[in-house]
Amino acid sequence: AAYKRHSEAAVPALCTAETPDEGFNYNPRHITDFLKLCSDSVKISIDRNGFMLLESGDGKYMVTPRKKAVIKEPKKAAKKKAA
């Protein structure tokens, strides 16, 4: 389920290829699952198509981009008319 959560961060980066102005979207759970396992620093590489490679002394993990999440408001229950 999509929640009203949003996170973004700017970090210094060496850019060798242009990427779209709107950036890329990822499932945050995939990234946090990897980070929870890491006990070392992490190197993040992203190619021009948005594929992200996370590398640390503990291993490597590939994260693929996804479509931008659409947050839908829950439907309100219809009120029943008293008979």
Side-chain angles (χ1 to χ4, degrees), residues 16 23 33 57 68:
T16 58
D33 285 351
K68 187 173 182 178

Side-chain angles (χ1 to χ4, degrees), residues 15-67:
C15 296
T16 58
E18 288 194 33
T19 57
D21 289 337
E22 63 273 6
F24 300 106
N25 294 284
Y26 302 95
N27 184 329
R29 183 169 293 151
H30 294 182
I31 298 168
T32 55
D33 285 351
F34 177 79
L35 295 176
K36 287 177 185 177
L37 300 173
C38 294
S39 59
D40 201 357
S41 61
V42 176
K43 176 183 174 185
I44 302 172
S45 303
I46 302 174
D47 75 1
R48 71 180 71 215
N49 296 313
F51 290 92
M52 178 189 296
L53 180 63
L54 303 170
E55 300 177 85
S56 78
D58 299 310
K60 296 180 181 181
Y61 195 72
M62 166 104 32
V63 183
T64 59
R66 67 173 190 183
K67 293 180 182 178

